[in-house]
Amino acid sequence: MKLNTFVSAAIISLSPVCASAQGLVPTIGTEHEFCQDRPIEPEWMAELPSRERYKRLVIQTIYRAQGVERVVEAQECSCETRFPTWDGAVQYFNDNYLGGDRDALRAADEEHFSRYNALRTEARELCEIEGNW
């Protein structure tokens, strides 16, 4: 019994050390390696009730997809191009998915994630040149 307690205590006390060694400790701040002045996510999105948080994920995915689309279309990766205001993603969500149920929003998230992935490599190449990836 004492051995189990000792092992449990050791695991619990070493968990933060192991996690930080693996880079798994979350950071609290909003510092970014590049594009420090990127628009912050609208506060209301973080305050959605727990039963509606999946809407936030869809808007975030739309935002990412729109960002890489803009980079590829413009063939440049300035911070303003890659990180536009959140208004476009929110408006797109409202126009197309506002009344959708979880299944419809899950499908929308997959669609926009696929769009993001399709353009990610090309956008990354452009952004790495400018140090914005």
PDB file of all heavy atoms in Angstrom, residues 42-58:
ATOM      1  N   PRO A  42     -12.545  37.529 -31.392  1.00  0.00           N
ATOM      2  CA  PRO A  42     -13.587  38.239 -30.655  1.00  0.00           C
ATOM      3  C   PRO A  42     -13.875  37.585 -29.300  1.00  0.00           C
ATOM      4  O   PRO A  42     -13.961  36.356 -29.204  1.00  0.00           O
ATOM      5  CB  PRO A  42     -14.810  38.142 -31.570  1.00  0.00           C
ATOM      6  CG  PRO A  42     -14.253  37.935 -32.933  1.00  0.00           C
ATOM      7  CD  PRO A  42     -12.989  37.127 -32.727  1.00  0.00           C
ATOM      8  N   GLU A  43     -13.985  38.402 -28.290  1.00  0.00           N
ATOM      9  CA  GLU A  43     -14.175  37.907 -26.920  1.00  0.00           C
ATOM     10  C   GLU A  43     -15.430  37.049 -26.784  1.00  0.00           C
ATOM     11  O   GLU A  43     -15.436  36.059 -26.063  1.00  0.00           O
ATOM     12  CB  GLU A  43     -14.248  39.107 -25.964  1.00  0.00           C
ATOM     13  CG  GLU A  43     -14.187  38.732 -24.519  1.00  0.00           C
ATOM     14  CD  GLU A  43     -14.120  39.948 -23.624  1.00  0.00           C
ATOM     15  OE1 GLU A  43     -13.388  40.891 -23.951  1.00  0.00           O
ATOM     16  OE2 GLU A  43     -14.817  39.934 -22.591  1.00  0.00           O
ATOM     17  N   TRP A  44     -16.489  37.402 -27.513  1.00  0.00           N
ATOM     18  CA  TRP A  44     -17.738  36.659 -27.380  1.00  0.00           C
ATOM     19  C   TRP A  44     -17.575  35.197 -27.803  1.00  0.00           C
ATOM     20  O   TRP A  44     -18.299  34.329 -27.319  1.00  0.00           O
ATOM     21  CB  TRP A  44     -18.876  37.316 -28.166  1.00  0.00           C
ATOM     22  CG  TRP A  44     -18.661  37.380 -29.654  1.00  0.00           C
ATOM     23  CD1 TRP A  44     -18.158  38.413 -30.369  1.00  0.00           C
ATOM     24  CD2 TRP A  44     -18.943  36.342 -30.604  1.00  0.00           C
ATOM     25  NE1 TRP A  44     -18.098  38.092 -31.703  1.00  0.00           N
ATOM     26  CE2 TRP A  44     -18.585  36.831 -31.878  1.00  0.00           C
ATOM     27  CE3 TRP A  44     -19.470  35.056 -30.500  1.00  0.00           C
ATOM     28  CZ2 TRP A  44     -18.727  36.082 -33.032  1.00  0.00           C
ATOM     29  CZ3 TRP A  44     -19.607  34.305 -31.667  1.00  0.00           C
ATOM     30  CH2 TRP A  44     -19.243  34.822 -32.911  1.00  0.00           C
ATOM     31  N   MET A  45     -16.608  34.919 -28.681  1.00  0.00           N
ATOM     32  CA  MET A  45     -16.409  33.536 -29.112  1.00  0.00           C
ATOM     33  C   MET A  45     -15.922  32.666 -27.951  1.00  0.00           C
ATOM     34  O   MET A  45     -16.354  31.524 -27.807  1.00  0.00           O
ATOM     35  CB  MET A  45     -15.419  33.474 -30.277  1.00  0.00           C
ATOM     36  CG  MET A  45     -16.019  33.962 -31.581  1.00  0.00           C
ATOM     37  SD  MET A  45     -14.848  34.088 -32.957  1.00  0.00           S
ATOM     38  CE  MET A  45     -14.080  32.489 -32.987  1.00  0.00           C
ATOM     39  N   ALA A  46     -15.047  33.204 -27.125  1.00  0.00           N
ATOM     40  CA  ALA A  46     -14.544  32.458 -25.969  1.00  0.00           C
ATOM     41  C   ALA A  46     -15.605  32.321 -24.888  1.00  0.00           C
ATOM     42  O   ALA A  46     -15.518  31.437 -24.040  1.00  0.00           O
ATOM     43  CB  ALA A  46     -13.307  33.137 -25.408  1.00  0.00           C
ATOM     44  N   GLU A  47     -16.600  33.175 -24.922  1.00  0.00           N
ATOM     45  CA  GLU A  47     -17.639  33.173 -23.891  1.00  0.00           C
ATOM     46  C   GLU A  47     -18.899  32.411 -24.300  1.00  0.00           C
ATOM     47  O   GLU A  47     -19.896  32.451 -23.581  1.00  0.00           O
ATOM     48  CB  GLU A  47     -17.990  34.612 -23.526  1.00  0.00           C
ATOM     49  CG  GLU A  47     -16.831  35.353 -22.888  1.00  0.00           C
ATOM     50  CD  GLU A  47     -17.103  36.827 -22.657  1.00  0.00           C
ATOM     51  OE1 GLU A  47     -18.177  37.312 -23.082  1.00  0.00           O
ATOM     52  OE2 GLU A  47     -16.240  37.488 -22.065  1.00  0.00           O
ATOM     53  N   LEU A  48     -18.851  31.717 -25.426  1.00  0.00           N
ATOM     54  CA  LEU A  48     -20.009  30.927 -25.840  1.00  0.00           C
ATOM     55  C   LEU A  48     -20.316  29.873 -24.784  1.00  0.00           C
ATOM     56  O   LEU A  48     -19.393  29.302 -24.191  1.00  0.00           O
ATOM     57  CB  LEU A  48     -19.749  30.243 -27.183  1.00  0.00           C
ATOM     58  CG  LEU A  48     -19.814  31.120 -28.419  1.00  0.00           C
ATOM     59  CD1 LEU A  48     -19.276  30.370 -29.638  1.00  0.00           C
ATOM     60  CD2 LEU A  48     -21.223  31.593 -28.681  1.00  0.00           C
ATOM     61  N   PRO A  49     -21.586  29.591 -24.554  1.00  0.00           N
ATOM     62  CA  PRO A  49     -21.922  28.511 -23.618  1.00  0.00           C
ATOM     63  C   PRO A  49     -21.308  27.194 -24.098  1.00  0.00           C
ATOM     64  O   PRO A  49     -21.102  26.990 -25.297  1.00  0.00           O
ATOM     65  CB  PRO A  49     -23.456  28.443 -23.685  1.00  0.00           C
ATOM     66  CG  PRO A  49     -23.896  29.723 -24.297  1.00  0.00           C
ATOM     67  CD  PRO A  49     -22.769  30.223 -25.137  1.00  0.00           C
ATOM     68  N   SER A  50     -21.026  26.314 -23.175  1.00  0.00           N
ATOM     69  CA  SER A  50     -20.323  25.072 -23.524  1.00  0.00           C
ATOM     70  C   SER A  50     -21.035  24.273 -24.606  1.00  0.00           C
ATOM     71  O   SER A  50     -20.399  23.613 -25.419  1.00  0.00           O
ATOM     72  CB  SER A  50     -20.103  24.208 -22.285  1.00  0.00           C
ATOM     73  OG  SER A  50     -21.332  23.885 -21.683  1.00  0.00           O
ATOM     74  N   ARG A  51     -22.348  24.327 -24.654  1.00  0.00           N
ATOM     75  CA  ARG A  51     -23.088  23.579 -25.683  1.00  0.00           C
ATOM     76  C   ARG A  51     -22.958  24.190 -27.071  1.00  0.00           C
ATOM     77  O   ARG A  51     -23.357  23.584 -28.057  1.00  0.00           O
ATOM     78  CB  ARG A  51     -24.562  23.490 -25.308  1.00  0.00           C
ATOM     79  CG  ARG A  51     -24.802  22.599 -24.124  1.00  0.00           C
ATOM     80  CD  ARG A  51     -26.273  22.474 -23.842  1.00  0.00           C
ATOM     81  NE  ARG A  51     -26.469  21.661 -22.670  1.00  0.00           N
ATOM     82  CZ  ARG A  51     -27.284  20.640 -22.612  1.00  0.00           C
ATOM     83  NH1 ARG A  51     -28.011  20.314 -23.648  1.00  0.00           N
ATOM     84  NH2 ARG A  51     -27.393  19.941 -21.513  1.00  0.00           N
ATOM     85  N   GLU A  52     -22.393  25.396 -27.156  1.00  0.00           N
ATOM     86  CA  GLU A  52     -22.244  26.062 -28.449  1.00  0.00           C
ATOM     87  C   GLU A  52     -20.784  26.296 -28.829  1.00  0.00           C
ATOM     88  O   GLU A  52     -20.497  26.961 -29.808  1.00  0.00           O
ATOM     89  CB  GLU A  52     -22.998  27.390 -28.428  1.00  0.00           C
ATOM     90  CG  GLU A  52     -24.493  27.229 -28.280  1.00  0.00           C
ATOM     91  CD  GLU A  52     -25.226  28.555 -28.359  1.00  0.00           C
ATOM     92  OE1 GLU A  52     -24.648  29.546 -28.828  1.00  0.00           O
ATOM     93  OE2 GLU A  52     -26.394  28.585 -27.947  1.00  0.00           O
ATOM     94  N   ARG A  53     -19.861  25.730 -28.091  1.00  0.00           N
ATOM     95  CA  ARG A  53     -18.433  25.971 -28.344  1.00  0.00           C
ATOM     96  C   ARG A  53     -17.983  25.431 -29.693  1.00  0.00           C
ATOM     97  O   ARG A  53     -17.002  25.901 -30.256  1.00  0.00           O
ATOM     98  CB  ARG A  53     -17.588  25.371 -27.227  1.00  0.00           C
ATOM     99  CG  ARG A  53     -17.812  26.050 -25.909  1.00  0.00           C
ATOM    100  CD  ARG A  53     -16.591  26.809 -25.447  1.00  0.00           C
ATOM    101  NE  ARG A  53     -16.928  27.683 -24.332  1.00  0.00           N
ATOM    102  CZ  ARG A  53     -16.771  27.371 -23.068  1.00  0.00           C
ATOM    103  NH1 ARG A  53     -16.269  26.200 -22.751  1.00  0.00           N
ATOM    104  NH2 ARG A  53     -17.100  28.229 -22.129  1.00  0.00           N
ATOM    105  N   TYR A  54     -18.686  24.464 -30.229  1.00  0.00           N
ATOM    106  CA  TYR A  54     -18.304  23.920 -31.537  1.00  0.00           C
ATOM    107  C   TYR A  54     -18.425  24.996 -32.613  1.00  0.00           C
ATOM    108  O   TYR A  54     -17.725  24.953 -33.619  1.00  0.00           O
ATOM    109  CB  TYR A  54     -19.137  22.682 -31.892  1.00  0.00           C
ATOM    110  CG  TYR A  54     -20.623  22.906 -31.902  1.00  0.00           C
ATOM    111  CD1 TYR A  54     -21.280  23.251 -33.071  1.00  0.00           C
ATOM    112  CD2 TYR A  54     -21.381  22.788 -30.741  1.00  0.00           C
ATOM    113  CE1 TYR A  54     -22.642  23.472 -33.087  1.00  0.00           C
ATOM    114  CE2 TYR A  54     -22.745  23.002 -30.746  1.00  0.00           C
ATOM    115  CZ  TYR A  54     -23.375  23.347 -31.926  1.00  0.00           C
ATOM    116  OH  TYR A  54     -24.735  23.569 -31.934  1.00  0.00           O
ATOM    117  N   LYS A  55     -19.289  25.991 -32.395  1.00  0.00           N
ATOM    118  CA  LYS A  55     -19.401  27.102 -33.352  1.00  0.00           C
ATOM    119  C   LYS A  55     -18.082  27.866 -33.422  1.00  0.00           C
ATOM    120  O   LYS A  55     -17.658  28.294 -34.496  1.00  0.00           O
ATOM    121  CB  LYS A  55     -20.536  28.036 -32.949  1.00  0.00           C
ATOM    122  CG  LYS A  55     -21.904  27.402 -33.052  1.00  0.00           C
ATOM    123  CD  LYS A  55     -22.986  28.331 -32.564  1.00  0.00           C
ATOM    124  CE  LYS A  55     -24.354  27.657 -32.626  1.00  0.00           C
ATOM    125  NZ  LYS A  55     -25.417  28.529 -32.094  1.00  0.00           N
ATOM    126  N   ARG A  56     -17.450  28.040 -32.270  1.00  0.00           N
ATOM    127  CA  ARG A  56     -16.153  28.728 -32.224  1.00  0.00           C
ATOM    128  C   ARG A  56     -15.130  27.990 -33.075  1.00  0.00           C
ATOM    129  O   ARG A  56     -14.376  28.613 -33.820  1.00  0.00           O
ATOM    130  CB  ARG A  56     -15.684  28.817 -30.775  1.00  0.00           C
ATOM    131  CG  ARG A  56     -14.339  29.468 -30.615  1.00  0.00           C
ATOM    132  CD  ARG A  56     -13.919  29.473 -29.163  1.00  0.00           C
ATOM    133  NE  ARG A  56     -12.674  30.195 -28.981  1.00  0.00           N
ATOM    134  CZ  ARG A  56     -11.943  30.123 -27.898  1.00  0.00           C
ATOM    135  NH1 ARG A  56     -12.339  29.382 -26.879  1.00  0.00           N
ATOM    136  NH2 ARG A  56     -10.822  30.798 -27.813  1.00  0.00           N
ATOM    137  N   LEU A  57     -15.112  26.675 -32.979  1.00  0.00           N
ATOM    138  CA  LEU A  57     -14.152  25.898 -33.762  1.00  0.00           C
ATOM    139  C   LEU A  57     -14.368  26.069 -35.264  1.00  0.00           C
ATOM    140  O   LEU A  57     -13.414  26.169 -36.028  1.00  0.00           O
ATOM    141  CB  LEU A  57     -14.235  24.422 -33.384  1.00  0.00           C
ATOM    142  CG  LEU A  57     -13.866  24.093 -31.939  1.00  0.00           C
ATOM    143  CD1 LEU A  57     -14.114  22.617 -31.660  1.00  0.00           C
ATOM    144  CD2 LEU A  57     -12.430  24.469 -31.653  1.00  0.00           C
ATOM    145  N   VAL A  58     -15.626  26.115 -35.672  1.00  0.00           N
ATOM    146  CA  VAL A  58     -15.924  26.299 -37.100  1.00  0.00           C
ATOM    147  C   VAL A  58     -15.450  27.676 -37.560  1.00  0.00           C
ATOM    148  O   VAL A  58     -14.815  27.803 -38.609  1.00  0.00           O
ATOM    149  CB  VAL A  58     -17.429  26.103 -37.391  1.00  0.00           C
ATOM    150  CG1 VAL A  58     -17.744  26.399 -38.846  1.00  0.00           C
ATOM    151  CG2 VAL A  58     -17.862  24.691 -37.036  1.00  0.00           C
TER     152      VAL A  58
END
